[in-house]
Amino acid sequence: MVEVNSVTKKYGKFKAVDDISFSVKDHEIMGFLGPNGAGKSTTMNMITGYIEPTSGKIIVNGYDISKSPKKAKIQIGYMPENVPLYNDLTVREFINYMAELKNVKRKERKDEVNKVIEETGLQDVQKKLIKKISRGYKQRVSMAGALVGNPDILILDEPTVGLDPKQITEIRSLIKKLGKSHTIILSSHILSEVSQICEKVIIINKGKILAIDTPENLEKQAQVENSIIITVEDKNKKMDTIGKKISDINSIELIKDNDDGTKQYLIVAKKESDIRKKLFEILPKEDITIFELKQSETTLEDAFLKVINSKEAEIKKEEKTNKKAKAEGKDEKKEEKDNTKTEAKQKAEAKTKVETKSNAKTETKPKANANSKTQTKPKAETKAKKQTVAKSKTDTKTNATKATKTSKKSTQKGGNK
Amino acid sequence: MWAITKKELKNYFLSPIGYVYIGIFLIACSLFFYLDIFQYLETDFSYMFGSSVTVLTFIVPLLTMRMFAEERKNGTEQLLLTSPKSITQIVLGKFLAAVVVVLISALLTLMHYAILAYFGKPDLATSLLSILGFSLLSISYVSFGMFASSITENQIIAGVISIGFFLISWFLPSIVTNASTFSLMYAFYGSFMNGTISIANTVLLISFTVMFIIFTIITLQKRKYVK
């Protein structure tokens, strides 16, 4: 069990990690997803006690990493980014040294080292110097270093970077196997990897957590649109009129004009409706021949990009309002009124923006996703608390609107499930 | 702690550094043994150290410059600092390993004593005392070298800082007379060389050593917050 409670890491004024909270349950594989410089490694370094958070608490199996580092660190096996190793040692010596560092008893050490070498498939190179082995093996040695001493929690920072496809699948299956008996936190920017291995995903960008959910749910969230790619032969050019005939269609867009007279269209329809049947019924009546019809699939990749883009737009909006508030700020009462107005406007704008982006014109259902609601709301509240008194009036408003916005969003998400 | 010491020692003697250190030191000692003792037909063993002390300025940084700088550059310090070992244990472990190398080289000078004893009658007590003083001085140098290594990730810079400091400690007393009270080298010259133990000088050497061990620990602990 790893608990991270509102942890912030600042470098000067720059916030590498900004007030993040999450917890990883026992025997859960948690994936950290985010673009480069999102704060993945910083977070992992803080969990392992390599760096100290500016504020916040990290509790590893009941031990606070800052207050009782020895007890906490012994629970953790860490495979850092860029696999740092002692090049002058042999593979076996290195693993043995790591076992010593982790206080594995002398009697058990040999067996433990043998076990780990076998587990990571290093038997063939165990007597070679680390500087002489290939990158893939180095990765495994680093993994072995994390595994030795049988720690409860494994923290793997980009465990498959730089491996060939065969090695990647090997490492992945190893991680999956280990996940049955260990708690694992791994980071990656390869989405397919995360969706394959992890039971839960945290999407992080610019030091902030954007989403915590299962990979399946995230994929579903991205699937706001119900889009169909269709290839047709349309002699009478009636394709544009189809939109009026089938009411569930939101838009029809030409993607490709093929040489053989066929055209490829992207049709976006309302989410709940399945228009494929209707298309098959109506198109032949209009003298349109269907060559191909397929539903476009959303992947975690889409979810990831969507979450990141929409949040970025939100943050920009927020910054703008803050700046405005500061620039205008003299008469507080007046300003407050103005702000509520502009914010309401902006809220509406942002909403429509997000929606038009995703082409989602679905009604928000009152059925709420309890999880995401509880995750977003308290966060917004604590944020609101932190605001200074002078700014509090305007800023809490911003945050409050943000909170409602996010909770509404999550309602929408919940509805999508 | 012993695990770290063991590994560091292995590192010193698997790589050429340990041999280079001991080798250069012994060559220098032999040279001064010849120049200072044989040439003048002296039987005072400590004369040899009088000159070979200067060599320490250049070879101790060789030993200490990589201690933390290399780990930091290679990222292996991540392995150390995330292990259940405390920073104090890590620092002491590494320090002890370097001290062992330094002590081996100091004890090897007994060889020169044996040669001298074959030809003349040197005083055993004063000779041992000079070896002791010399060891204390080397250890305090190691302590500073280790500190220098902990403040940078560049080995060369760590080495240059150490050499610079040792040079200042060597030459400053001849410029500012008061400084000799605080100079490590003069602490050694002042007492151990002439067969006496001065409490003030012993305390100076030991407290200097302890001080820079503590500085190293603090440096590494503080970096957790800045990094």
Side-chain angles (χ1 to χ4, degrees):
Chain A
M1 179 91 168
V2 179
E3 287 170 84
V4 175
N5 290 327
S6 55
V7 164
T8 302
K9 178 72 190 174
K10 277 191 204 164
Y11 294 108
K13 279 184 180 173
F14 172 70
K15 279 182 182 172
V17 170
D18 189 0
D19 193 25
I20 64 168
S21 307
F22 61 87
S23 69
V24 188
K25 287 183 211 118
D26 285 338
H27 308 315
E28 191 174 49
I29 306 183
M30 165 76 94
F32 246 110
L33 206 55
N36 296 331
K40 289 173 291 182
S41 294
T42 310
T43 312
M44 292 187 142
N45 280 333
M46 284 193 287
I47 298 173
T48 52
Y50 178 54
I51 54 180
E52 194 71 19
T54 313
S55 65
K57 241 186 190 181
I58 294 168
I59 291 163
V60 178
N61 273 1
Y63 300 108
D64 190 318
I65 191 86
S66 308
K67 281 173 191 152
S68 41
K70 273 194 177 187
K71 281 176 183 163
K73 281 176 183 171
I74 210 157
Q75 318 275 342
I76 299 175
Y78 182 33
M79 174 179 170
E81 201 183 9
N82 304 327
V83 288
L85 298 168
Y86 293 102
N87 287 325
D88 294 332
L89 299 182
T90 65
V91 170
R92 198 182 177 83
E93 279 169 345
F94 174 76
I95 298 171
N96 194 52
Y97 179 49
M98 291 310 288
E100 283 178 311
L101 283 184
K102 288 179 182 178
N103 304 335
V104 178
K105 283 178 194 131
R106 187 188 282 266
K107 280 179 193 167
E108 300 157 21
R109 212 180 292 149
K110 206 178 168 191
D111 293 334
E112 179 67 26
V113 171
N114 281 335
K115 196 189 96 193
V116 170
I117 286 180
E118 203 174 307
E119 237 171 357
T120 45
L122 288 167
Q123 295 97 325
D124 297 340
V125 293
Q126 53 173 307
K127 283 182 182 149
K128 279 192 182 170
L129 281 178
I130 288 178
K131 64 179 154 200
K132 299 232 164 106
I133 60 176
S134 72
R135 166 90 201 195
Y137 273 125
K138 278 185 188 166
Q139 206 101 358
R140 286 198 228 177
V141 173
S142 182
M143 185 99 155
L147 280 177
V148 81
N150 202 21
D152 251 11
I153 295 155
L154 290 176
I155 295 180
L156 313 171
D157 202 346
E158 312 218 331
T160 58
V161 163
L163 298 183
D164 67 42
K166 188 171 165 266
Q167 291 166 332
I168 288 179
T169 44
E170 276 170 16
I171 290 273
R172 278 182 196 162
S173 54
L174 177 64
I175 293 173
K176 268 191 174 172
K177 203 177 88 191
L178 291 168
K180 282 169 195 156
S181 49
H182 297 78
T183 308
I184 298 181
I185 302 177
L186 69 90
S187 81
S188 177
H189 52 249
I190 306 167
L191 299 135
S192 61
E193 178 172 290
V194 170
S195 63
Q196 271 177 39
I197 306 175
C198 302
E199 291 146 20
K200 227 175 172 190
V201 178
I202 295 179
I203 296 184
I204 181 170
N205 190 27
K206 295 189 179 165
K208 283 185 177 156
I209 289 184
L210 305 185
I212 307 178
D213 219 325
T214 61
E216 291 80 26
N217 281 343
L218 285 171
E219 276 167 28
K220 268 185 205 160
Q221 276 171 35
Q223 204 177 20
V224 183
E225 63 245 46
N226 180 7
S227 52
I228 283 170
I229 295 169
I230 187 167
T231 312
V232 293
E233 191 178 46
D234 180 18
K235 280 174 192 158
N236 305 329
K237 301 202 170 141
K238 277 188 176 167
M239 199 61 197
D240 296 333
T241 63
I242 295 297
K244 286 165 196 159
K245 286 190 174 145
I246 304 173
S247 56
D248 287 341
I249 289 181
N250 287 335
S251 73
I252 297 178
E253 194 188 330
L254 181 70
I255 338 177
K256 218 164 107 191
D257 203 344
N258 292 331
D259 295 337
D260 56 358
T262 58
K263 285 175 180 169
Q264 202 172 36
Y265 289 91
L266 176 75
I267 299 179
V268 181
K270 281 181 189 165
K271 195 178 161 2
E272 308 81 32
S273 61
D274 192 351
I275 58 163
R276 284 176 294 181
K277 204 177 156 197
K278 281 184 188 163
L279 282 174
F280 273 113
E281 280 168 7
I282 293 173
L283 290 186
K285 283 179 195 162
E286 304 291 323
D287 249 2
I288 301 173
T289 327
I290 299 173
F291 278 67
E292 193 191 2
L293 184 146
K294 65 180 174 195
Q295 198 149 25
S296 72
E297 282 170 6
T298 49
T299 57
L300 200 54
E301 215 126 334
D302 299 322
F304 179 66
L305 289 174
K306 211 187 132 203
V307 168
I308 284 179
N309 286 338
S310 66
K311 292 272 168 161
E312 252 168 27
E314 228 169 76
I315 290 164
K316 266 181 199 166
K317 273 269 143 66
E318 204 179 316
E319 275 169 7
K320 257 186 195 171
T321 38
N322 280 345
K323 266 184 196 167
K324 245 186 187 174
K326 268 182 197 168
E328 286 171 1
K330 269 187 185 174
D331 190 347
E332 266 206 24
K333 265 190 178 178
K334 204 183 169 189
E335 188 202 327
E336 201 186 321
K337 267 186 185 174
D338 282 350
N339 262 322
T340 40
K341 266 185 196 172
T342 49
E343 266 157 31
K345 243 188 191 175
Q346 260 148 1
K347 185 184 136 197
E349 265 174 30
K351 236 186 134 189
T352 45
K353 213 180 179 185
V354 172
E355 273 175 1
T356 44
K357 223 182 201 170
S358 55
N359 279 317
K361 280 172 189 165
T362 42
E363 309 96 314
T364 47
K365 282 185 184 172
K367 222 170 128 194
N369 180 351
N371 254 336
S372 47
K373 216 178 181 181
T374 44
Q375 264 159 16
T376 49
K377 262 204 170 167
K379 217 177 158 187
E381 272 164 26
T382 47
K383 249 191 188 170
K385 271 181 207 163
K386 278 180 189 170
Q387 301 292 340
T388 49
V389 190
K391 273 170 75 189
S392 69
K393 275 187 180 173
T394 51
D395 279 355
T396 36
K397 279 265 155 118
T398 331
N399 278 313
T401 43
K402 203 189 154 197
T404 47
K405 206 158 73 183
T406 37
S407 64
K408 260 190 191 169
K409 247 193 150 182
S410 59
T411 328
Q412 209 180 30
K413 282 173 197 171
N416 292 342
K417 279 181 190 178
Chain B
M1 190 171 90
W2 300 119
I4 296 167
T5 308
K6 217 169 77 189
K7 190 242 150 200
E8 286 293 307
L9 273 177
K10 209 189 261 175
N11 210 317
Y12 280 133
F13 291 108
L14 280 178
S15 66
I17 300 172
Y19 301 106
V20 168
Y21 178 84
I22 294 175
I24 295 180
F25 177 71
L26 286 183
I27 289 171
C29 279
S30 304
L31 184 71
F32 294 127
F33 183 67
Y34 177 75
L35 290 177
D36 291 350
I37 296 177
F38 255 51
Q39 292 278 46
Y40 296 102
L41 297 173
E42 272 288 346
T43 54
D44 192 346
F45 181 59
S46 61
Y47 276 30
M48 184 183 83
F49 287 114
S51 302
S52 45
V53 149
T54 54
V55 185
L56 280 185
T57 303
F58 304 102
I59 58 174
V60 167
L62 206 71
L63 206 61
T64 57
M65 64 184 194
R66 44 166 291 285
M67 279 174 131
F68 287 99
E70 192 187 36
E71 298 248 14
R72 196 167 158 200
K73 190 151 203 176
N74 291 345
T76 44
E77 79 165 0
Q78 242 171 324
L79 300 174
L80 273 182
L81 296 179
T82 57
S83 77
K85 301 278 183 234
S86 69
I87 288 178
T88 312
Q89 279 175 315
I90 295 167
V91 171
L92 287 181
K94 282 179 170 270
F95 176 70
L96 275 184
V99 164
V100 167
V101 178
V102 165
L103 284 184
I104 289 174
S105 63
L107 288 178
L108 280 174
T109 56
L110 282 173
M111 176 176 78
H112 296 103
Y113 176 81
I115 296 170
L116 195 62
Y118 181 78
F119 291 107
K121 284 200 177 75
D123 185 31
L124 181 64
T126 45
S127 303
L128 287 181
L129 199 62
S130 59
I131 293 181
L132 172 75
F134 184 76
S135 306
L136 280 177
L137 181 68
S138 323
I139 291 171
S140 63
Y141 272 28
V142 165
S143 161
F144 182 84
M146 179 171 75
F147 169 69
S149 182
S150 75
I151 56 177
T152 168
E153 65 176 74
N154 190 322
Q155 293 189 40
I156 308 291
I157 291 177
V160 169
I161 291 174
S162 312
I163 292 178
F165 179 81
F166 298 151
L167 280 178
I168 289 171
S169 140
W170 178 359
F171 289 115
L172 195 63
S174 53
I175 304 164
V176 188
T177 35
N178 286 339
S180 62
T181 346
F182 303 106
S183 166
L184 298 177
M185 203 181 271
Y186 279 68
F188 170 70
Y189 279 143
S191 47
F192 297 98
M193 275 282 282
N194 50 35
T196 56
I197 297 182
S198 131
I199 292 180
N201 288 338
T202 316
V203 168
L204 176 70
L205 287 174
I206 292 175
S207 58
F208 180 89
T209 310
V210 173
M211 182 169 85
F212 277 100
I213 290 175
I214 293 172
F215 279 177
T216 311
I217 294 172
I218 292 173
T219 310
L220 290 177
Q221 258 159 359
K222 279 281 171 261
R223 197 168 316 123
K224 241 171 124 177
Y225 297 91
V226 195
K227 201 160 39 198

